[in-house]
């Protein structure tokens, strides 16, 4: 346990994964205490237990906690496992276009039947350059809203043709729907996805299906912190490495998808001091491999499949391998060894050989090979040495393959190992220039959550012919910075994350839609 400075505020990071719930207590750049425990059925109970553990371990006072940041896979798991989802009403503004591809095309039958409610297509939408394709049929929108209200579908996903280029019709339709159905929950596709209608609409439907669960989960977070006596503000990490406040999470729970790997990668950058590197996050069941670019995960540029549904909203570029500390090792008749993808998961403490179980796992191989010290070493002393060697070789081959797939050039790149399963790797990985890990690598995800930053964004149309590009850019950056500071960011730490310029050919004057995103450290979190 490290000594607590009386003058510096404390912050807590929690990562609720499918297998483990991790928590850290941080002061400045120091990890004062950490814990890893099996995820409980009740997310609330798991958070209370994890935070109590780190506070108790460090001997800290809850009154010194300045902020709590929570990362969770709760919403991803709920969607993938089809549980706790709302039925969704869909209103698409696109006619006469896109009639051949109705909403939820190509969705797996089980998820479509679980959340599919009623869909209504109305006239309207834009062309690719923002010009009107068809005028909005406002009466049809109002009629659809009344029918959804009569059917009791309180969660509505709204999508319009080329809405990311021009969202005016989605906003107008939103006003009409709220006038007809004030108590409904609305998701506008332009707030989440990109150009492609079907994938953007899918993302909006996903988000709408999580509306009730989002309110319930955020309420659980509040309740957990209240039970602990923590009055500090809490935030939830999203998949771009920044934080959302409670109200934003309730509106856009889908933005937490893949926040777990993002937290791990941000934690890896923090622990290693590297901003550009490959990261392998080895958990109990899977290994996520991604690329750090300027300290943040590289964003995927292709469509992402989640639970069998294609989407196009921002996601980190990650590949997942069926390799973890609990992966089951299977000797094959041809003398080779298969690793995973089946895993004992969080039952490793009862099923792995070193813990008295009867299942041969990758952790058993690492202990038998002598480079990991977990459980009872004597229980794997009798393993065939050739079997152990082939298994260890296969583990490293799997990671090498994953690293090779993520690299964009043939040059060797540094690799950061994090996660509880990082102990599985002890040999050189081809294509890697420098391999690093850290004593706190097992809780890198919670550390990543604790250091997540506050973002600020500007999305505005400028006339470059009259404003000038430099002046427009300066104004957009200044506006984004001001929003980040207003949301709680430390002004001195704010950096630009992303700039996107989209020329609008249909508007005279050199009109350009300019999006700027910045991020900075939480002012309330303090720093050394």
């Amino acid at each position: 346990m490290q000594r607590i400075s009386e003058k510096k505020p404390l912050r807590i990071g929690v990562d609720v994964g499918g297998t483990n719930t991790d928590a850290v207590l941080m002061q400045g750049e120091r990890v004062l205490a950490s814990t890893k425990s099996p995820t409980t059925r009740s997310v609330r109970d798991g958070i209370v237990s994890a935070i109590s553990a780190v506070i108790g371990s460090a001997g800290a006072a809850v009154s010194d906690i300045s902020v709590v940041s929570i990362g969770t896979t709760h919403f991803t798991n709920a969607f993938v496992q089809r549980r706790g989802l709302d039925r969704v009403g869909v209103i698409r503004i696109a006619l006469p276009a896109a009639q051949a591809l109705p909403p939820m095309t190509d969705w797996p039958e089980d998820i479509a039947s679980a959340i599919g409610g009623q869909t209504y297509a109305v006239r309207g939408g834009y062309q690719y350059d923002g010009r009107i394709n068809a005028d909005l049929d406002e009466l049809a929108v109002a009629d659809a809203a009344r029918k959804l209200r009569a059917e009791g579908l309180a969660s509505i996903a709204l999508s319009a043709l080329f809405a990311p280029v021009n969202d005016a019709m989605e906003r107008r339709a939103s006003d009409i729907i709220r006038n007809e159905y004030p108590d409904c929950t609305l998701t506008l596709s332009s707030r989440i996805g990109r150009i492609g209608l079907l994938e953007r609409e899918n993302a909006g439907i996903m988000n709408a299906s999580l509306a009730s669960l989002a309110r319930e989960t955020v309420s659980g977070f509040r309740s957990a912190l209240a039970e602990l006596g923590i009055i500090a503000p809490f935030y939830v990490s999203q998949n771009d490495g920044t934080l959302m406040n409670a109200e934003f999470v309730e509106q856009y729970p889908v933005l937490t998808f893949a926040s777990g790997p993002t937290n791990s990668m941000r934690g890896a950058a923090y622990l290693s001091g590297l901003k550009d590197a490959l990261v392998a996050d080895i958990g109990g069941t899977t290994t996520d491999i991604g690329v750090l670019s300027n300290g943040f995960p590289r964003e995927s540029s292709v469509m992402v499949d989640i639970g069998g549904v294609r989407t196009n909203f921002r996601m980190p570029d990650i590949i997942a391998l069926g390799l973890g500390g609990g992966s089951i090792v299977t000797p094959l008749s041809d003398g080779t060894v298969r690793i995973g993808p089946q895993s004992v998961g969080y039952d490793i403490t009862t099923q792995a050989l070193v813990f008295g179980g009867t299942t041969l796992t990758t952790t058993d191989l690492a202990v038998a090979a002598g480079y990991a010290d977990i459980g009872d070493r004597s229980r794997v002393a009798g393993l065939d040495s050739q079997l152990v060697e082939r298994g260890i070789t296969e583990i490293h081959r799997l990671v090498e393959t994953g690293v090779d797939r993520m690299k964009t050039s043939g040059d060797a790149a540094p690799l950061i190992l994090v996660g509880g399963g990082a102990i599985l790797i002890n040999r050189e990985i081809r294509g890697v220039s420098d391999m690093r890990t850290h004593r706190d690598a097992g809780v890198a995800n919670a550390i990543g959550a604790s250091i997540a930053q506050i973002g600020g964004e500007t999305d505005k149309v400028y006339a470059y012919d009259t404003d000038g590009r430099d002046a427009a850019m300066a104004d957009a950056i200044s506006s984004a910075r001001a929003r980040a500071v207003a949301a709680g960011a430390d002004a001195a730490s704010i950096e630009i994350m992303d700039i996107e310029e989209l020329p609008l050919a249909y508007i005279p004057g050199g009109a350009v839609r300019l999006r700027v995103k910045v991020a900075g450290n939480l002012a309330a979190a303090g720093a050394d």
Side-chain angles (χ1 to χ4, degrees), residues 10 19 59 104 187 190 221 228 243 278 281 301 303 310 338 401 419 435 501:
L10 306 177
T19 303
M104 304 181 76
T187 296
S190 57
F221 291 166
L228 292 164
L243 296 170
L278 290 153
D281 178 17
S301 58
M303 287 183 292
R310 293 183 304 164
R338 184 175 66 226
T401 301
M435 192 158 62
E501 295 176 271

Side-chain angles (χ1 to χ4, degrees), residues 101-109 111-112 198 202 308-310:
L101 293 172
M104 304 181 76
T105 295
D106 288 341
W107 280 48
E109 178 57 33
I111 185 71
L198 208 58
N202 288 345
V309 179
R310 293 183 304 164

